[in-house]
Amino acid sequence: MMIKKEWEKTIDTIFSEQLKNQYNIGNTDVFERKTKLKNLLNLILQYRKDIQKAMFEDFKKAPAEVDLTEIYTVTNEINHAIKHLNAWMKPHYVASPITLLGTSSYIQYEPKGVVLIISPWNFPFNLTFGPLISAIAAGNCVMIKPSEHTPNSTALMKKMLAEIFPVNEVAVFEGDSSIAAYLTQLPFNHIFFTGSPALGKKVMKAAAENLCSVTLELGGKSPVIIDESAGLSKAAKRIAWAKFLNNGQVCIAPDYLYVHEKVKEEFLSLLKVQIIGFYGEEPALSKDYSRIVNQAHFNRLKQYLQDAILDGAVLEIGGEMNEEERFIAPTVLSNVNLKSAIMQEEIFGPILPLMVYQDLNEVIQHIQQHEKPLALYIFSKQNEVISKIMRETRAGGTVINHNTLHFFNNELPFGGSNNSGIGKAHGKYGFKAFSNARAVMKQWSPVSALDLLMPPYGNFKQKIIDLTIRFF
């Protein structure tokens, strides 16, 4: 018999305490849940400067960018949940067929129970608190494993949440991947994981042992298509913002571009101007340009870039690096070999391959032959082009004439499809992810139509059954 480590015993104890507490938390009313969400909102506003400081220490993220991508996204999600929670928690009445005359039916969303959130390093507060808000709104007990790659942010989140939640309701666990591996073996009622498809498969496999439902927010290579009718100046500005935000470490960042050959040179020129406009002639000196999170990711990106150039890629913009600073300049490549690693793996960094096309069908065929992306972006003024791409491709989400903005709309479901994710998040979709849709039917009339069709069967009952099959 293996002797458990102290941290394993701690996890087991807290898990057991949350199991015992789940019905107390699950039976909270709308007022109590709103109060918890308001307390969380006030906590985030109180710690706003500390969050900015932790993010800078982890990878030199600018305070304004922290406000927009870490704090606003969370406060917006909380306010949205508070506004709509009454409607989400109410019974949702549905019609009953005539064959069930005398009954009424409704759906009651009940909490799943004890849930696990495994969050990533690229937006530690956003992608931890986002699903936490949904889990609280749905009435769950929550255990959280943030990434070890952003230790300052993880330590701060643990400190913050301990101020307003007891560990038998919300608990945060620091540590490496062995902690996450141990947690996923426990019989949670739901696991919400954000990370790579490779790790998502491991989480889903572990969850299957306990028949635990999962939400997997994964990644993939999100393409951008720019046709000859596109507004190139706006496209360049919006793509430069979305691609180099957070140093390209964004799951829905543009991963590669397909640009119509007629507008390639003009677009590249505008893109270069825009990058300089954002980060100056020397991005390494910009206070608004963050860094790669750790040495391993820097080395991976460096290898991608070097291999792509050896395979014939042309360096159009950027390419400068500083290993000590983990700095990679905003970089754009053209003439990229489709078989190179940079076109086979999700880049997750500030390197943007650009391909040209003449025939849109070739672009669509390329997208169809690869895994469904988390996002697909279209820049075009031609409705027939937009419609064709929408019909003939599949993606978790799509933005037309902009990119990444769909993440900020809590009325839209956010998530991937197959390799890029399973399940949806944000707003009512996040609430449903952490809820069980319980079907409830009440027989209110003294007689049920089905009572007339119970054994023993005879000719009369058979005729009624025949009529029911035919007409109802």
Side-chain angles (χ1 to χ4, degrees):
M1 180 178 177
M2 288 185 62
I3 298 175
K4 288 200 170 185
K5 299 172 183 177
E6 284 304 313
W7 62 264
E8 291 174 325
K9 292 178 183 177
T10 300
I11 288 173
D12 289 347
T13 299
I14 294 175
F15 182 72
S16 178
E17 290 175 357
Q18 290 203 358
L19 286 176
K20 293 173 185 175
N21 195 34
Q22 63 176 309
Y23 285 96
N24 294 326
I25 302 303
N27 289 326
T28 51
D29 60 26
V30 67
F31 175 79
E32 291 172 292
R33 295 186 196 179
K34 282 186 177 182
T35 299
K36 292 176 184 179
L37 292 172
K38 289 174 183 176
N39 290 340
L40 184 59
L41 176 62
N42 291 333
L43 184 76
I44 292 163
L45 296 176
Q46 175 190 337
Y47 275 92
R48 180 176 171 185
K49 294 297 182 184
D50 299 270
I51 293 170
Q52 292 173 349
K53 182 174 181 289
M55 291 298 301
F56 186 83
E57 289 172 347
D58 281 330
F59 47 102
K60 293 190 175 179
K61 195 165 183 176
E65 193 171 299
V66 174
D67 281 343
L68 287 171
T69 63
E70 299 280 0
I71 293 174
Y72 166 72
T73 50
V74 173
T75 57
N76 182 42
E77 183 86 33
I78 294 174
N79 287 324
H80 182 83
I82 290 171
K83 181 179 179 181
H84 295 283
L85 191 55
N86 290 63
W88 296 345
M89 288 180 65
K90 284 180 180 177
H92 292 248
Y93 283 89
V94 296
S96 297
I98 194 169
T99 50
L100 297 176
L101 196 64
T103 69
S104 57
S105 302
Y106 64 93
I107 300 165
Q108 182 68 58
Y109 287 97
E110 62 183 15
K112 286 190 172 178
V114 182
V115 303
L116 171 64
I117 296 171
I118 303 176
S119 56
W121 52 263
N122 59 325
F123 292 99
F125 291 91
N126 177 350
L127 299 178
T128 299
F129 286 135
L132 174 62
I133 292 159
S134 297
I136 293 169
N140 295 278
C141 293
V142 191
M143 295 174 74
I144 302 170
K145 170 58 180 75
S147 173
E148 66 273 21
H149 297 310
T150 46
N152 297 288
S153 299
T154 294
L156 180 58
M157 286 189 285
K158 183 172 184 175
K159 176 179 182 291
M160 290 170 62
L161 292 173
E163 290 187 16
I164 60 172
F165 293 107
V167 292
N168 66 350
E169 184 175 355
V170 177
V172 179
F173 299 92
E174 297 174 274
D176 60 21
S177 58
S178 62
I179 307 289
Y182 186 81
L183 283 164
T184 57
Q185 294 174 18
L186 298 176
F188 285 96
N189 300 113
H190 189 77
I191 297 176
F192 192 109
F193 170 81
T194 305
S196 69
L199 290 177
K201 291 175 183 178
K202 292 182 179 180
V203 170
M204 193 171 185
K205 185 176 181 179
E209 291 297 316
N210 296 304
L211 294 178
C212 171
S213 59
V214 296
T215 302
L216 303 178
E217 296 287 356
L218 309 178
K221 298 187 71 62
S222 297
V224 182
I225 302 171
I226 303 171
D227 79 357
E228 66 271 36
S229 74
L232 297 182
S233 181
K234 287 182 179 179
K237 183 175 184 178
R238 292 165 181 175
I239 290 167
W241 169 75
K243 177 60 184 178
F244 304 114
L245 176 80
N246 205 39
N247 218 215
Q249 299 163 120
V250 184
C251 61
I252 50 173
D255 202 85
Y256 62 96
L257 308 180
Y258 264 110
V259 183
H260 196 281
E261 65 172 6
K262 290 181 180 179
V263 296
K264 175 204 168 186
E265 295 304 326
E266 184 182 356
F267 174 78
L268 269 173
S269 177
L270 290 166
L271 185 60
K272 185 172 184 178
V273 168
Q274 196 59 64
I275 291 170
I276 293 171
F278 283 162
Y279 307 115
E281 293 280 359
E282 296 184 62
L285 302 179
S286 172
K287 294 180 181 179
D288 299 321
Y289 191 65
S290 51
R291 297 295 186 265
I292 303 302
V293 69
N294 58 35
Q295 195 63 41
H297 283 282
F298 177 88
N299 292 340
R300 176 183 60 84
L301 291 163
K302 179 181 178 182
Q303 195 66 52
Y304 281 174
L305 182 57
Q306 289 175 345
D307 290 349
I309 292 172
L310 285 174
D311 279 343
V314 176
L315 188 62
E316 299 281 359
I317 300 171
E320 299 85 9
M321 296 186 186
N322 182 327
E323 188 163 346
E324 185 178 340
E325 283 277 318
R326 300 195 306 275
F327 165 80
I328 300 176
T331 299
V332 180
L333 302 172
S334 66
N335 195 42
V336 182
N337 187 331
L338 294 179
K339 294 182 180 179
S340 61
I342 206 166
M343 285 304 298
Q344 296 299 314
E345 304 293 333
E346 184 178 8
I347 297 169
F348 222 68
I351 306 170
L352 184 59
L354 180 152
M355 279 79 67
V356 295
Y357 76 93
Q358 293 178 320
D359 184 353
L360 181 61
N361 291 312
E362 293 177 3
V363 179
I364 290 172
Q365 185 180 42
H366 173 84
I367 295 169
Q368 288 177 344
Q369 289 173 347
H370 293 78
E371 298 283 5
K372 297 173 186 174
L374 182 55
L376 185 151
Y377 305 121
I378 305 166
F379 286 86
S380 174
K381 294 178 183 177
Q382 301 181 83
N383 289 332
E384 63 273 20
V385 169
I386 296 168
S387 296
K388 178 180 175 65
I389 296 169
M390 290 290 294
R391 285 195 314 270
E392 298 182 19
T393 62
R394 298 290 181 267
T398 288
V399 182
I400 299 162
N401 292 323
H402 216 306
N403 43 190
T404 73
L405 288 191
H406 60 305
F407 183 89
F408 295 88
N409 186 350
N410 290 315
E411 296 288 354
L412 285 173
F414 180 81
S417 180
N418 298 123
N419 196 70
S420 57
I422 294 173
K424 302 296 178 183
H426 293 184
K428 69 179 179 181
Y429 304 98
F431 175 84
K432 289 181 178 181
F434 286 101
S435 301
N436 171 53
R438 187 170 184 170
V440 183
M441 179 180 281
K442 181 179 180 181
Q443 179 73 44
W444 49 262
S445 70
V447 179
S448 165
L450 185 61
D451 293 342
L452 304 175
L453 299 178
M454 293 179 182
Y457 301 117
N459 289 336
F460 176 71
K461 290 183 179 179
Q462 185 61 57
K463 286 180 181 178
I464 294 177
I465 291 170
D466 292 342
L467 288 170
T468 301
I469 290 172
R470 186 171 180 183
F471 295 106
F472 302 104

